[in-house]
Every structure is written in structure tokens, then in C-alpha cells.
Amino acid sequence: MPLFINRDQIFAHQVHLLEHKLRSKEERILELETENAILHLRLSESLGKLRRDHEEDTKCESHHQLQSNTEKITQSALVKLLSNVQAVKQDLSELFAVYASFASELEEQSKQLLEKVEQASCCLNGHHGDEFQNLQDRVAALERSLEEEKERCRSERQKRKELHNMLVELRGNIRVHCRVRPVLAFDHVQTSGSGPASSEEVISAISDDTVMVNCLKTGMPVQNKMFEFERVHGPDDSQNAVFEEVKSLLTSLLDGYNVCIMAYGQTGSGKTHTMMGSQLEQHSGIQQEAQQGIIPNAAAELFRLLSEKPGESHAVEVSVMEVYNNEVFDLLARDEHGNAVGQRRDVITTSSGTSQVTGLTYEPVCDASEVMQIISSVLKLRAHCPTLVHTDSSRSHLIVTLTISSKSPNALALARRLQSAKMDMQRSAQKEWWSPRCRRANPSARQPSYELFASPASSPCPSPSLSPCPSPRHSISQTEFRTKLQLVDLAGSECVGMSGISGAALWEVSCINRSLSALSDVLGSLAEQRPHVPYRNSKLTHLLQDTIGGDAKLLVMLCVSPTQRFITESLQSLGFGTRARQVQKTPRRKNHTLKVK
């Protein structure tokens, strides 16, 4: 009997299956539509981001073009202004020479007339009274004319000072020079592998203000990096050529500004040679002039400038310190037998805001030879340690300070002291002037007498008060003011793996690198004009506070090695110099418009 099949059930089952498939397809269609909407949304977001990036690129490009045009215009204007300043300085020097000859001629005529008056007084009688009176009138007129010429001469000298300081300020209160040393014997080290040779020269001075670095990498094209500074010295530049670009700052020193010249770079880059000169080539105890560094040349130039100011009295004192393992040592300190021994000193901040080393030894000097004799006698106390990079590597920062005390007979110094006293009184009116760190609170503490009226860090004119604490009343009877020239030979930054040191020397490297990092942080804070500058993060920056901050003049001499072996440290030094150039310090006091009646 055939099996009976219900066709309606079969059709119903098929319809159910088809409806299930239809629902599945509809769900799939809904998922695809959702994904499509999401993709469209992402596409619109990507297009919007691409459009914004394109607009930002366009803005950046236009801003860069505008900045480049502005820099070109500023540079051309600065070049024109510098040429005008040089022309004015030349005219002033010629005018000063004419005034000097005229003044000497007037003095000679005055002497002759005085002699005639003395001769006439011997045979004076009633008939010669009128002639004697005429002679006296002529002498008085000549003396008045002489005083007028002297006053005009002083005015012209002050204008020259103002133009010189304006020129230095246009160049920047912080100037950065770079010196590329020649290839030396320890640069030739065998390297393994197929990379570039370690003695290959990759850093060169391509112009007076540009350094080029060839960044060589195996299998990669050569990339050239350019660094611009105020002055760049190549391996062939002599010590005298380097100092010629530095010595203009000494004029600012005698004009009342603190000045600091420091050498920065890695171990073996030529810092000590640049600052001190060659200590090997000596004949009969006299160092060859061609090998003298910045320190002996600066001392000689300082005393030469002082000798050209016979109408003013100056006193010069020298101190020598080293910062070793973040501690300050006085290298001129003596024991009971009179031998020089390095004694640890503390750095404090006085109530007037200046940094001061307690108990620091100062030696009075009269010429450059005495300065170098004192420095040479204590250099053996400086910490040294041989490394794989340098056989006589300095492990401390050497700081030579020349302090100049000046007494000027003209009215300009008195007027500047009046202005400084007024500003100090305005500042002291906003805060309590007595400080628990005042020297009156600790009368047993010893310090040099001139430290009691040391100038603030931002002012070339010191507080005229003889009290160690700022007093509401300022004495202006004294016209003496003090400035200091700090010459710094920094210890070299280095990589521990390359130097091959171990043991206690690792702590020395750590302290050196941390102090240099603190110096970089201080310059970074000044560049960004932060309200707080971390001078006290290191003894080095705390010690140099007066010559780094305010309107002090700072010159950083970058010393770099030209070879591939030290390219990492050289790039770090060049980057440090680039950041230092970004500092734009605003002087707190302008003396260019100061008028004296």
C-alpha cells in the first residue's frame, strides 16, 4: 500500500524554511548597513582630520616663511646697525684723540701763563697792576675752557660705553661661541664592523657662524645638521683669534656689569686648553704667548684697560675655587704652615639676593703675571683622573674670579648709585627688609669686608650701604662699586661606557653630569622666562648665579671633537649651546637714558 504524503505539510515546512532564510538575510543586510554607516562615519572623520592637517601644514608653512622673512629683515637691520655703531665708535675715537691733544695743549699754555704770572708777581708795582689782572683773567678763562673740554671728553667716553653695551645687548646677553678642535692621537681607535671609522671627521666649521655635522649611519644616506652660533672657530684658529672675539666683554666689566666666560664640552674636547692654554711648551718659566688661553689673556687685557683709566682708582682681587662632587673647595686656603690646601666652603644667598661663599680667600693682585702665578700654584690641587678618553681628565669645575673694586671721580657713578638705591628702596618697601640670615644675626661669621656691600645679581652697581643687611636708608657718599669676572673651566660631560671608569670615579661622573644638567635647566628656565629659576639645584649654578642671571654678560665657549667617535657627546654640547642662545634676558635697569646734571 503506497505511503500517503501530506503535500500541505511539505509546503508549510518549505515556507517555514524560506521564511527563516529570509529573516537571516534581512539580519545580514541590517548588519551590513550598520557597518557601511560606521565606515562612512570613519571616512568623514578621516577626511576632516586630513583637511585640518592640511590647513595646519599650510599655516605652519606660511608662519615659517613669515619667520624667515622676519629673520632676514632683522639680520639686515642688525648688520646695518652694527656698521653704524662701528662708524660712530670710530668717529668718537677720533674726536677723543682731538680732545686729548687739545686738552694737553691747553694745560701747557696754562702752565706757561702761570709761569709768566709768577715772574710778573716778582716785579709787580702800581704800573703793572692792570697787566697782572689781565693775566689772571686769561688764566682763569683757560682753566674754565680746560674743565669744559674735560667734561666733554668724559661725556664722549660715556657715550662710547653706552654704544658698546648696546652692541653687546643687541648680540644677546648670553653669547655662544663654538670651537672645533683638530684631530688628536687618541681619536684614532680601531673599530669593529663595517661602520664608519671612529677617527673620521664629521664635524666642521663651514663659516664664521655655522657648524656642520655629518650624521653617518650604515646603509643610510648622509644627513647634514647645521648649528648656528655667534662665532665658530675651526681647528686652524689660534688662541689669539679666539680671545679677540671674547675680549670685548671686558669693557662691559669695567662699565659695571658682571661677566662670566665658561668652557663647556665633553672630556678631551679642549676646554682647559682654551681657557688656560698649553702648559707643556714653556721656556724659562715663561709660557709662549701664542699658546695662552682665555684666562691669562683676559687678565692681561683687564690690567691694560685699567692702565688707560688714570683718573680712577681700581683694586683687583683673585679667588680660585673648584666644585668637586657638588661641594665647593677654596683652593687658595692655607694651613698653619702656609701651604695651599683645598678647604670646603658653603654657598649662601645673602639678604640682598646675591650668592656668597663664606670664608672665601681673596688675594690682591697688581698685574696679570701675579694672577697666573697664583692660579698655577694651586692647579695641582684640582681633582684629576685618567680615563680611556683622556689621560689627565679634570673631575671638577674650576672657577677663577677676578673682583674689581672701582672708584670713579665723575658724577656718572654717583648717579647710577642713586638710581640703584632708589630701585632697592622700592623693592624693600614690598617686603620685610630684615632677614634671619642677616650677618647681624651671626656676628661671629667671617667674611671679606667688601662682601658687605656686594652688588645684587641683576645690578652692576652694588648697594652703597656698608651694612650686610639692606637698610631702609641708603648711604650714597661712597662711589665705589664692585664687579666680577668669572672664568670657568667646566668638567667634561662623558659616557660611562666610553670612559671606562669604575668604583669611586662613577660618583664623580654622576656629580659632573648632574651639575651640568642643572646648568642646562637654569638656562632653559631663563629661555622660557619662568618665574622661578632653579639656581640652588646645584652648587655650580648657585655659585654662578650673579654672572648668569639679571643683566650680567655670559659667554659660553662650546668645545667639540670633530670625529665620529665622540659624535653623540658633541651633538649634546651643540644642543646645549642652541638652547643657551634662546635665552633673551631683559635687563632690569636701563642706563642708556640716564642723564646727569
Side-chain angles (χ1 to χ4, degrees):
M1 181 177 179
L3 180 64
F4 176 77
I5 300 174
N6 191 343
R7 298 182 63 179
D8 292 337
Q9 292 180 351
I10 293 174
F11 289 152
H13 180 69
Q14 290 179 351
V15 169
H16 178 72
L17 292 176
L18 291 174
E19 288 178 350
H20 180 71
K21 290 182 179 180
L22 180 60
R23 285 194 299 270
S24 299
K25 296 296 183 181
E26 290 177 350
E27 292 177 356
R28 179 59 180 167
I29 290 172
L30 183 59
E31 292 177 356
L32 292 176
E33 288 179 349
T34 303
E35 292 179 359
N36 188 25
I38 293 174
L39 291 175
H40 276 288
L41 181 60
R42 292 180 178 176
L43 178 61
S44 62
E45 290 179 353
S46 299
L47 290 175
K49 184 178 180 181
L50 180 61
R51 184 170 58 256
R52 289 193 299 271
D53 291 343
H54 179 69
E55 292 176 355
E56 290 180 359
D57 292 341
T58 304
K59 290 181 180 179
C60 290
E61 185 176 357
S62 61
H63 179 70
H64 178 71
Q65 184 66 27
L66 179 61
Q67 186 177 7
S68 300
N69 295 336
T70 305
E71 288 180 355
K72 291 180 181 178
I73 294 173
T74 304
Q75 186 176 7
S76 61
L78 182 59
V79 170
K80 184 178 179 180
L81 182 59
L82 290 178
S83 62
N84 293 336
V85 170
Q86 294 294 339
V88 172
K89 290 176 66 176
Q90 181 66 26
D91 294 341
L92 288 177
S93 63
E94 295 176 357
L95 186 60
F96 176 74
V98 173
Y99 285 156
S101 62
F102 186 47
S104 62
E105 183 178 354
L106 286 176
E107 287 180 350
E108 184 64 28
Q109 291 180 2
S110 178
K111 290 180 181 179
Q112 293 177 0
L113 288 175
L114 287 175
E115 291 176 356
K116 291 182 179 180
V117 169
E118 292 177 356
Q119 293 176 1
S121 62
C122 297
C123 57
L124 182 64
N125 51 41
H127 299 286
H128 297 150
D130 295 338
E131 183 179 356
F132 178 76
Q133 185 64 35
N134 292 335
L135 287 176
Q136 284 186 331
D137 294 341
R138 289 180 62 187
V139 168
L142 287 174
E143 289 179 347
R144 288 193 300 270
S145 177
L146 178 60
E147 290 298 324
E148 291 175 358
E149 293 301 325
K150 287 183 177 180
E151 184 62 29
R152 292 177 63 183
C153 180
R154 286 193 291 267
S155 175
E156 295 299 331
R157 290 178 63 185
Q158 177 59 25
K159 289 181 180 179
R160 183 199 63 80
K161 289 181 181 180
E162 294 174 356
L163 288 173
H164 174 79
N165 287 322
M166 188 183 302
L167 177 62
V168 174
E169 289 180 1
L170 287 173
R171 293 179 177 175
N173 280 5
I174 293 184
R175 303 184 63 193
V176 181
H177 293 189
C178 180
R179 188 179 194 185
V180 183
R181 68 162 173 80
V183 179
L184 302 178
F186 60 82
D187 290 321
H188 300 279
V189 177
Q190 296 295 330
T191 58
S192 59
S194 57
S198 63
S199 60
E200 182 176 354
E201 293 189 48
V202 295
I203 300 179
S204 58
I206 61 175
S207 67
D208 289 343
D209 59 358
T210 306
V211 175
M212 182 178 69
V213 182
N214 297 326
C215 298
L216 302 176
K217 292 185 179 180
T218 305
M220 298 292 291
V222 177
Q223 295 181 353
N224 295 331
K225 292 185 178 181
M226 301 294 182
F227 296 88
E228 291 187 356
F229 303 104
E230 279 74 18
R231 186 66 168 87
V232 174
H233 300 280
D236 297 331
D237 287 358
S238 64
Q239 297 278 66
N240 289 336
V242 173
F243 180 71
E244 282 296 322
E245 299 294 331
V246 173
K247 70 178 184 180
S248 60
L249 289 175
L250 298 180
T251 304
S252 298
L253 177 70
L254 297 185
D255 289 347
Y257 292 88
N258 292 330
V259 175
C260 178
I261 303 173
M262 66 171 61
Y264 182 96
Q266 71 172 108
T267 301
S269 59
K271 301 184 300 300
T272 302
H273 175 74
T274 299
M275 296 303 294
M276 296 296 301
S278 174
Q279 300 296 321
L280 298 178
E281 299 183 9
Q282 296 184 355
H283 301 279
S284 301
I286 302 176
Q287 191 176 356
Q288 289 186 355
E289 183 178 0
Q291 295 297 320
Q292 287 185 345
I294 291 178
I295 293 178
N297 282 325
E301 178 68 12
L302 173 61
F303 283 100
R304 187 190 69 81
L305 293 175
L306 293 178
S307 65
E308 295 178 355
K309 297 178 178 292
E312 302 178 7
S313 60
H314 302 273
V316 182
E317 294 176 311
V318 63
S319 63
V320 185
M321 296 169 284
E322 71 167 352
V323 180
Y324 175 66
N325 287 347
N326 202 31
E327 295 289 347
V328 178
F329 291 90
D330 181 6
L331 299 185
L332 295 184
R334 306 280 179 175
D335 58 11
E336 62 271 10
H337 302 293
N339 299 322
V341 292
Q343 293 187 359
R344 190 175 68 85
R345 305 297 189 195
D346 292 326
V347 185
I348 64 172
T349 301
T350 64
S351 58
S352 59
T354 61
S355 63
Q356 175 182 319
V357 180
T358 58
L360 184 62
T361 305
Y362 294 86
E363 294 287 345
V365 289
C366 298
D367 53 39
S369 61
E370 289 187 18
V371 175
M372 294 313 300
Q373 183 178 1
I374 291 174
I375 296 175
S376 300
S377 64
V378 299
L379 278 181
K380 60 180 180 295
L381 301 177
R382 188 182 183 187
H384 293 83
C385 179
T387 67
L388 295 180
V389 177
H390 197 273
T391 57
D392 192 24
S393 176
S394 301
R395 316 310 294 170
S396 65
H397 310 295
L398 180 68
I399 303 172
V400 178
T401 304
L402 293 174
T403 305
I404 298 92
S405 305
S406 303
K407 281 190 176 181
S408 176
N410 56 35
L412 175 64
L414 180 59
R416 292 177 66 183
R417 293 292 296 279
L418 282 167
Q419 189 179 31
S420 177
K422 181 179 179 181
M423 294 180 65
D424 290 341
M425 291 181 66
Q426 292 175 353
R427 287 195 296 266
S428 63
Q430 300 176 1
K431 61 181 181 179
E432 185 177 359
W433 60 268
W434 187 87
S435 171
R437 306 175 73 172
C438 169
R439 284 300 179 192
R440 291 175 185 158
N442 186 11
S444 62
R446 295 182 179 179
Q447 62 179 11
S449 60
Y450 65 83
E451 293 287 351
L452 300 180
F453 48 91
S455 62
S458 62
S459 174
C461 300
S463 173
S465 175
L466 295 179
S467 170
C469 295
S471 175
R473 300 184 61 184
H474 293 262
S475 171
I476 57 174
S477 60
Q478 297 290 331
T479 58
E480 183 181 51
F481 62 95
R482 309 183 70 83
T483 53
K484 57 184 175 182
L485 169 65
Q486 288 191 315
L487 305 166
V488 185
D489 179 17
L490 295 173
S493 61
E494 61 185 26
C495 175
V496 176
M498 181 177 294
S499 60
I501 60 175
S502 60
L506 290 174
W507 176 247
E508 296 177 347
V509 174
S510 175
C511 292
I512 291 172
N513 290 337
R514 281 188 293 172
S515 60
L516 295 178
S517 177
L519 177 61
S520 179
D521 292 340
V522 166
L523 295 180
S525 299
L526 292 174
E528 298 175 6
Q529 297 183 354
R530 299 176 190 169
H532 172 68
V533 181
Y535 289 112
R536 301 182 66 178
N537 284 1
S538 170
K539 292 291 183 64
L540 175 65
T541 53
H542 195 185
L543 190 61
L544 300 179
Q545 176 179 347
D546 295 351
T547 50
I548 293 180
D551 53 5
K553 312 299 181 182
L554 171 62
L555 186 142
V556 180
M557 180 68 68
L558 299 178
C559 298
V560 296
S561 169
T563 59
Q564 173 68 29
R565 180 187 179 192
F566 304 108
I567 187 171
T568 301
E569 294 294 332
S570 297
L571 287 174
Q572 187 272 335
S573 299
L574 295 173
F576 173 85
T578 302
R579 290 192 298 274
R581 287 192 71 203
Q582 297 173 358
V583 178
Q584 297 179 354
K585 299 194 295 184
T586 303
R588 300 179 184 176
R589 184 188 67 258
K590 292 292 186 181
N591 291 330
H592 306 305
T593 59
L594 182 62
K595 295 182 180 180
V596 180
K597 294 183 180 181

